[in-house]
Amino acid sequence: MNHPRPTRVLVIGYVWPEPRSSAAGGHMMQILEAFMQQGWDITFSSPAGAGEHPADLTALGIRQVPIELNSSSFDTFVSELAPDIVLFDRFMMEEQFGWRVEKHCPGALRVLETVDLQCLRDARHQRLKARLKASDDADDFRQLFAPALREEFELMADTDVAKREIAAIYRCDVNLMISDVESQLLIEQFKVPRNLLHWCPLMVDLPIEAPRAFEERTHFLHIGNFRHAPNWDAVLWLKTAIWPLIREQLPHAQLHIYGAYTPPKATALHNPTQGFHVMNWAEDSLEVMSAARICMAPLRFGAGIKGKILDAMLCGTPIVTTPMGAEAMHDQEPWPGAVTHTAREFAERAVALYNNKDQWETAQAQGDALLRSRYRQSVHGPALVEKLLDSLQHLTQIRRDNFTGSMLRHHAHKSTQYMAQWIEAKNRNPQ
């Protein structure tokens, strides 16, 4: 008796996943877990070198195959693998390999893991820079945090990265959106068809054990990969504006800052006499989060949703953040801590939560409720699988209806193909 072979998936990663270093790495592992639960045959490939803290995919039964940019060796590899689904991790991988996948595996479902909209994050970064250049006031950012979707669109629309990223989204059959706010932006402003987008937030298993109590915790905490520009900016705002205000009210308070890839400019901020401790990478981020009384995420720009904030909810740690940190994370649910707009408000709410057990316990309970209503792996994992299998079944219709994507593939992939072939030929004959 012949048994049908398992669905074959190829993931093309911008980097090898590092779930303990970034939310993007964590989300990729959650997606892979959803595939593994189906018994799917998974291969993970990347042109990147190994990072400092990579996941051991081989131990999970996932093949790891390095690939090269601008090399026809990928054509042979993907033809022999013959995947049913190809998932591009970030739009740059779709640009590099999408035309090769289409040429050699035309029947494969092409899926883009957007992580977050880089064009949105970049536009917000530029807006913050303009605000800081116009005023040396490091306190009040209310106007920065309040743009309408149309204003966001107008900031992004003329940029090269937006044109590249939105084109990649159109060219794919399914796009995984970690933020429902970004889905709304794409649908309303960029006119992306709704059926091309699938909401797939961070996905977690609910904690089994009760979190540590108020009395068992001490100190403030900030955590985030230093290679991610919003995290570095948050540390600077903590250092220059927020932390001095907290120390005025709590002279012995300590802030512990953790992050992968800590640069010298960050370690230079370490100052124990000010209670400002730069701790480098956390071997176990959930352990340090569980020991802290307050998680601080003073993000002045960014996109997507925030892994450190979800980790705080998992650990029962209240979070003080900004509208940028809270965006797309709680819908109409109460925020498990405080959402603030100025440095002074941030400091005041952080101190109040730190000192008030009743407020703190209410916030802890709200975080648990939010986890259960919005982030369960048991809900979103099967929904993702169902979306992909349904799209595979209706692939011809999806592509026929997405004429814009077909047109973009026709033009962009031809130019990308010829450029890649030229680079490959040049690499073979450098003289």
Side-chain angles (χ1 to χ4, degrees):
M1 181 177 177
N2 291 328
H3 294 283
R5 68 169 177 82
T7 299
R8 195 172 291 161
V9 181
L10 170 63
V11 180
I12 302 177
Y14 180 66
V15 294
W16 300 96
E18 295 191 32
R20 295 183 296 168
S21 298
S22 70
H27 195 232
M28 176 52 68
M29 295 306 296
Q30 293 157 10
I31 291 168
L32 294 175
E33 181 181 340
F35 296 168
M36 288 187 290
Q37 288 176 353
Q38 300 299 312
W40 289 0
D41 183 311
I42 308 168
T43 301
F44 195 105
S45 294
S46 177
E52 290 183 7
H53 315 292
D56 187 353
L57 300 180
T58 304
L60 299 174
I62 299 172
R63 282 185 299 277
Q64 296 184 235
V65 181
I67 51 177
E68 293 181 51
L69 297 172
N70 304 307
S71 172
S72 56
S73 61
F74 179 83
D75 303 345
T76 304
F77 161 67
V78 78
S79 297
E80 292 175 352
L81 184 64
D84 303 295
I85 299 171
V86 177
L87 190 154
F88 304 101
D89 177 25
R90 288 170 250 204
F91 77 90
M92 297 82 83
M93 293 299 95
E94 189 278 336
E95 286 182 326
Q96 289 286 343
F97 296 100
W99 68 271
R100 294 183 184 274
V101 170
E102 181 171 19
K103 182 176 181 180
H104 298 284
C105 303
L109 183 74
R110 296 186 291 270
V111 182
L112 178 60
E113 154 66 331
T114 61
V115 183
D116 58 20
L117 289 181
Q118 183 176 321
C119 55
L120 176 60
R121 185 174 70 244
D122 289 355
R124 286 173 168 176
H125 196 182
Q126 293 308 311
R127 186 171 64 205
L128 172 63
K129 288 178 179 177
R131 156 69 176 77
L132 294 174
K133 188 175 181 180
S135 170
D136 59 3
D137 174 20
D139 177 53
D140 192 340
F141 291 89
R142 273 175 288 198
Q143 285 196 310
L144 196 72
F145 297 143
L149 289 180
R150 184 66 192 177
E151 290 178 63
E152 300 277 32
F153 171 77
E154 290 173 356
L155 278 172
M156 302 158 61
D158 291 333
T159 65
D160 287 347
V161 69
K163 291 168 185 173
R164 290 172 56 198
E165 191 167 17
I166 306 305
I169 287 170
Y170 267 105
R171 286 194 295 263
C172 286
D173 306 308
V174 179
N175 295 273
L176 306 186
M177 304 301 301
I178 203 168
S179 161
D180 49 4
V181 171
E182 290 175 15
S183 292
Q184 185 183 0
L185 175 66
L186 291 176
I187 293 165
E188 293 182 8
Q189 302 300 324
F190 288 96
K191 310 306 179 186
V192 174
R194 188 180 299 271
N195 71 302
L196 295 184
L197 308 178
H198 177 74
W199 182 47
C200 183
L202 295 170
M203 304 177 281
V204 296
D205 296 319
L206 297 176
I208 298 171
E209 298 179 1
R212 292 186 193 177
F214 178 85
E215 294 84 3
E216 299 176 78
R217 298 167 178 256
T218 187
H219 307 321
F220 296 84
L221 176 135
H222 172 81
I223 190 165
N225 187 325
F226 280 103
R227 284 184 175 173
H228 193 52
N231 293 333
W232 171 239
D233 177 73
V235 170
L236 290 177
W237 197 29
L238 276 169
K239 177 72 173 182
T240 58
I242 296 170
W243 188 243
L245 295 171
I246 291 176
R247 287 278 286 193
E248 283 179 10
Q249 299 179 66
L250 298 174
H252 302 294
Q254 291 188 38
L255 169 60
H256 294 174
I257 294 174
Y258 292 89
Y261 301 101
T262 310
K265 65 182 180 181
T267 53
L269 300 179
H270 180 72
N271 191 326
T273 61
Q274 297 175 352
F276 199 92
H277 300 267
V278 179
M279 312 291 284
N280 298 317
W281 183 64
E283 182 74 30
D284 187 338
S285 60
L286 295 182
E287 177 58 32
V288 298
M289 185 70 79
S290 294
R293 188 173 289 179
I294 303 292
C295 171
M296 302 207 294
L299 296 160
R300 294 191 286 190
F301 74 100
I305 62 176
K306 315 305 179 292
K308 57 185 147 291
I309 289 178
L310 194 69
D311 283 349
M313 294 182 207
L314 279 169
C315 298
T317 309
I319 309 111
V320 183
T321 188
T322 66
M324 287 293 162
E327 182 179 82
M329 293 210 69
H330 66 122
D331 196 21
Q332 303 302 313
E333 301 274 345
W335 184 255
V339 179
T340 66
H341 298 76
T342 70
R344 186 161 296 280
E345 183 189 5
F346 194 107
E348 288 172 354
R349 296 299 299 275
V351 170
L353 272 169
Y354 192 89
N355 285 335
N356 190 306
K357 181 180 177 181
D358 289 342
Q359 283 186 30
W360 189 93
E361 288 180 341
T362 296
Q364 187 180 72
Q366 289 168 337
D368 183 67
L370 194 49
L371 279 179
R372 294 174 188 278
S373 69
R374 201 166 168 86
Y375 296 104
R376 285 183 293 166
Q377 173 89 26
S378 61
V379 171
H380 294 291
L384 170 61
V385 168
E386 182 180 355
K387 173 67 175 180
L388 298 185
L389 292 178
D390 182 71
S391 299
L392 259 177
Q393 220 174 3
H394 299 93
L395 188 54
T396 300
Q397 189 65 44
I398 289 170
R399 290 180 178 170
R400 185 178 296 132
D401 291 344
N402 181 19
F403 178 78
T404 301
S406 175
M407 179 174 60
L408 287 167
R409 287 199 307 274
H410 174 78
H411 290 287
H413 284 349
K414 291 298 182 187
S415 59
T416 306
Q417 174 183 343
Y418 296 140
M419 176 61 75
Q421 289 171 340
W422 179 81
I423 292 172
E424 183 176 10
K426 190 171 184 292
N427 289 341
R428 280 199 304 265
N429 304 289
Q431 296 179 348

